[in-house]
Amino acid sequence: MATHVDPITLAVVRGALETTQREMTLTLEKTGRSSVFNLAHDYSNALFDHFPEMILQGQDIPIHLGSLIPAMKAVAEFYGDDIQEGDVIYHNDPAYKGSHILDCCMYKPVFYQGELVFWTVCKGHLTDIGGPVPAGYNPDAKEIYAEGLRIPPVKLWEQGKPRNDVINLLLTNMRARRDQEGDINAQYGACRVGERNLIALLDKYGVDTVKACIAELKDMADRQMRSLIRDVPDGVYHGSAMLEDAGHGFGEMEITSTITVTGDQLHIAVQSPPQIPYFINSYEGNSLSGVYLGLMMFAQLPPPYNEGLYRCVTVDLGEKGTLCNAVEPAPHVNCTTTPMETLTDAVRQALEQAAPERVTASWGHASGINIAGMDPRSGEQYVTMVLASIISGAGATQVMDGWHAVGPLCCFGALSSGDVELLEYSYPIIIHRYGLLQDSGGAGKYRGGSGTAWEVEPRDHEMQVIAFGEGRQIATLGAAGAENLLLEPKLGKLVVDRADGQQVHKHNTMLTIKPGERVTNINPGGGGYGPAFERDPQAVLEDVRNGLVSLEAAELEYGVALNPDCLSVNWAETERLRG
């Protein structure tokens, strides 16, 4: 007989679970060694029950969270009954439903009075995973074996005792060992904090009551998703998005999705080209994250966020061996941004065909850099993914402009760029510029959020730069009739200023920068919503005065003319332009 749960107990247990997840996140922030952890917050935490089903996902990195659902099941299935109290399992392999090998995940089973009740799970982006290229992004990789260290499910702690031989094996294959060791220890601390809080919850309310609360929370999420789908007309809907030519001879590629709505059931089918010998193939776990993000951008449901959301949703990623359902030995490290964000756009567009009233514009796609070198101050090697360099703009909605500098799409506002001063303290670099870019936000009745420029110079040493990503040829997708006429400022690019005065534009490449030379990474803004000529001219005036929109764009894209003092609108000329 099921245990009855009163609303007050349910609310308290729900709050305790949410607090547990937040405390795990705070533990990572305060104890992580690398800037990717302690400044950028490129990690995610979740709680699973014994089934194992996700009972709580944090408001963390979307590209992590969707893949955790199949990855947790793959890890539990791998060990079967060989899971003991005090075990800690580590894993990053996309063949076992991981996202990409830089996102390393720790799983800690939580036992109570001899019974497996929970799992605490922490996934974080390590700054290096070995392989031929610092920070793991190898644009020349033709297969996954050329990218870095694959970690199938392996126990780092066994019945409470650390397996130092295994831990040493992993760390010996990674650059900047101190950073990686510190981040793995931070993950362990986060899982232990989660375990402590969950055991205290079970001590207070008992296993039966807590399990009943969790079952109700999953049912609650299920009811909310089904209610939303029932409001969408039954039918078959299609969406597509183009993956731009990355400059390695593969050309543009189209990803499509077909959404079938039947009552309170939703089926998502994905079609993509055959996998290629280039690092943008996406394995199953990662692609599932892209699909779920497109769904959640459309659904915009309130919490709770758990696996109950997806009971009424089925996903078909297409044939094995394709770009969005890759198999070994496909290279993949760039997949968490490319093609994941394009897949998300394709799913979102199909859903918006079904319910145009829920339409939103896309966020800027990620294009960033990693840096590595020998720190002349310490004589030690450093390597890091510069998350500040991928910060783009948010898409506009039906009621407001997109936020500035909160993207990219794959992180959806959960990423932090960190303080410039702390980055300069941590690494031998000078950051000459970090700011918003004029005209980078998509034009529309509601403007897309502005993208950013991040400009860096090495100090007293040669620095290796690895550039990756997209949004450099195809502007961020708008919605509801939004159109860009001034295209160039809305595209990302990598600009290299050499010591001899030569300026070079690059993308998806590796290069070496000397002192006195600079690299600027430029990110696209978010997409606009609605026809730009419907934007309030006073709003355009404010954008011009704030440096977000140029006079040229005001006239060309928005049909708004300003008086010479740029303090007021020239209404007569604006009426002529818009006429």
Side-chain angles (χ1 to χ4, degrees):
M1 183 176 179
T3 302
H4 173 72
V5 180
D6 65 88
I8 294 176
T9 301
L10 178 64
V12 172
V13 170
R14 175 179 173 178
L17 295 173
E18 292 171 348
T19 300
T20 295
Q21 190 278 334
R22 285 196 296 269
E23 192 170 350
M24 291 173 67
T25 297
L26 187 62
T27 300
L28 280 172
E29 178 186 351
K30 299 304 181 184
T31 63
R33 171 74 70 173
S34 74
S35 64
V36 171
F37 272 34
N38 57 37
L39 293 181
H41 304 165
D42 192 355
Y43 46 67
S44 299
N45 296 289
L47 304 176
F48 285 77
D49 58 20
H50 63 289
F51 286 110
E53 291 184 352
M54 183 185 281
I55 59 175
L56 181 73
Q57 67 178 48
Q59 296 183 31
D60 294 325
I61 308 294
I63 191 58
H64 292 165
L65 295 167
S67 64
L68 280 179
I69 293 174
M72 177 75 258
K73 291 173 173 56
V75 167
E77 181 181 358
F78 180 83
Y79 281 101
D81 295 331
D82 185 22
I83 297 171
Q84 311 297 328
E85 189 167 356
D87 286 352
V88 175
I89 300 165
Y90 212 52
H91 154 256
N92 74 355
D93 193 352
Y96 286 89
K97 307 299 191 294
S99 46
H100 70 168
I101 56 174
L102 287 157
D103 288 337
C104 294
C105 195
M106 187 172 286
Y107 308 82
K108 191 173 196 320
V110 178
F111 285 80
Y112 187 74
Q113 298 177 356
E115 177 188 358
L116 174 60
V117 183
F118 294 113
W119 292 80
T120 58
V121 179
C122 171
K123 176 179 279 192
H125 183 116
L126 296 191
T127 57
D128 190 77
I129 199 64
V133 174
Y137 285 74
N138 182 5
D140 294 331
K142 302 296 189 295
E143 54 184 11
I144 193 172
Y145 309 111
E147 295 186 296
L149 182 65
R150 293 171 63 184
I151 309 172
V154 62
K155 291 185 181 181
L156 297 190
W157 275 259
E158 193 163 18
Q159 298 185 51
K161 295 181 180 180
R163 297 189 61 187
N164 292 317
D165 55 345
V166 177
I167 295 171
N168 184 55
L169 172 66
L170 301 186
L171 294 174
T172 300
N173 281 280
M174 300 175 185
R175 299 171 181 85
R177 176 180 178 130
R178 187 181 68 164
D179 281 0
Q180 318 316 324
E181 185 173 18
D183 285 353
I184 289 174
N185 286 335
Q187 289 182 280
Y188 180 66
C191 288
R192 285 293 303 272
V193 165
E195 177 186 45
R196 179 197 65 192
N197 289 8
L198 292 173
I199 289 175
L201 180 65
L202 294 170
D203 282 340
K204 184 170 185 178
Y205 290 100
V207 174
D208 290 342
T209 298
V210 172
K211 283 184 175 180
C213 289
I214 290 169
E216 174 56 27
L217 291 172
K218 287 191 285 188
D219 289 345
M220 187 184 303
D222 177 45
R223 290 193 296 269
Q224 290 184 164
M225 183 62 82
R226 289 181 188 275
S227 176
L228 169 71
I229 295 172
R230 277 194 296 269
D231 288 340
V232 177
D234 284 2
V236 179
Y237 306 94
H238 303 278
S240 68
M242 295 302 298
L243 190 64
E244 66 188 34
D245 184 354
H248 285 242
F250 298 106
E252 292 185 349
M253 291 175 279
E254 185 177 23
I255 297 175
T256 64
S257 68
T258 301
I259 309 294
T260 304
V261 179
T262 308
D264 62 359
Q265 301 283 324
L266 187 137
H267 179 67
I268 303 173
V270 175
Q271 299 83 41
S272 60
Q275 65 188 43
I276 58 176
Y278 187 58
F279 68 171
I280 61 171
N281 301 288
S282 181
Y283 288 71
E284 180 181 343
N286 183 74
S287 293
L288 197 62
S289 285
V291 170
Y292 284 167
L293 176 56
L295 172 62
M296 293 305 291
M297 287 180 71
F298 166 80
Q300 302 170 39
L301 292 172
Y305 302 128
N306 57 52
E307 200 162 331
L309 289 167
Y310 311 116
R311 286 177 183 168
C312 57
V313 179
T314 55
V315 178
D316 177 4
L317 294 173
E319 293 183 15
K320 291 285 187 180
T322 51
L323 199 70
C324 293
N325 197 1
V327 296
E328 298 174 85
H332 76 300
V333 163
N334 200 21
C335 69
T336 53
T337 59
T338 309
M340 178 269 191
E341 292 167 322
T342 305
L343 171 58
T344 295
D345 280 339
V347 171
R348 181 181 52 81
Q349 288 199 315
L351 288 165
E352 290 166 356
Q353 294 294 318
E357 71 278 4
R358 304 186 73 86
V359 66
T360 60
S362 184
W363 292 37
H365 289 199
S367 61
I369 62 173
N370 300 325
I371 59 174
M374 295 298 296
D375 192 335
R377 302 169 301 180
S378 63
E380 295 181 356
Q381 186 178 29
Y382 72 90
V383 57
T384 191
M385 182 181 188
V386 183
L387 277 307
S389 73
I390 69 171
I391 299 296
S392 59
T397 73
Q398 304 144 326
V399 296
M400 62 180 289
D401 295 338
W403 297 312
H404 306 306
V406 295
L409 177 59
C410 63
C411 299
F412 214 60
L415 200 67
S416 173
S417 58
D419 293 335
V420 165
E421 294 82 4
L422 289 176
L423 284 170
E424 291 179 329
Y425 174 80
S426 300
Y427 307 107
I429 58 175
I430 300 173
I431 301 171
H432 289 282
R433 177 167 55 135
Y434 183 41
L436 302 180
L437 287 166
Q438 190 176 65
D439 293 332
S440 58
K445 178 180 180 180
Y446 294 103
R447 176 192 29 75
S450 294
T452 63
W454 194 85
E455 183 178 346
V456 66
E457 175 188 347
R459 295 175 53 196
D460 304 323
H461 76 296
E462 292 188 353
M463 182 174 71
Q464 191 169 4
V465 176
I466 303 98
F468 62 92
E470 60 171 348
R472 296 178 172 127
Q473 298 171 35
I474 300 175
T476 307
L477 294 177
E483 184 179 2
N484 296 317
L485 298 179
L486 196 62
L487 187 60
E488 182 64 23
K490 295 171 178 61
L491 299 176
K493 61 175 68 75
L494 186 78
V495 181
V496 183
D497 289 294
R498 294 295 188 184
D500 60 4
Q502 182 182 11
Q503 189 174 84
V504 182
H505 290 209
K506 296 275 190 177
H507 65 284
N508 290 305
T509 189
M510 297 179 286
L511 57 149
T512 300
I513 301 299
K514 300 177 181 180
E517 299 180 332
R518 301 181 183 184
V519 170
T520 305
N521 196 69
I522 292 173
N523 272 282
Y529 176 90
F533 273 29
E534 294 181 7
R535 185 165 178 80
D536 183 352
Q538 291 289 352
V540 177
L541 170 63
E542 286 303 306
D543 284 346
V544 171
R545 296 179 63 185
N546 289 325
L548 300 174
V549 172
S550 66
L551 286 170
E552 178 188 8
E555 293 196 8
L556 178 65
E557 295 195 300
Y558 294 97
V560 174
L562 304 183
N563 290 316
D565 58 5
C566 286
L567 296 177
S568 58
V569 176
N570 183 330
W571 292 101
E573 181 63 11
T574 296
E575 184 175 354
R576 187 192 69 80
L577 289 172
R578 290 190 166 186

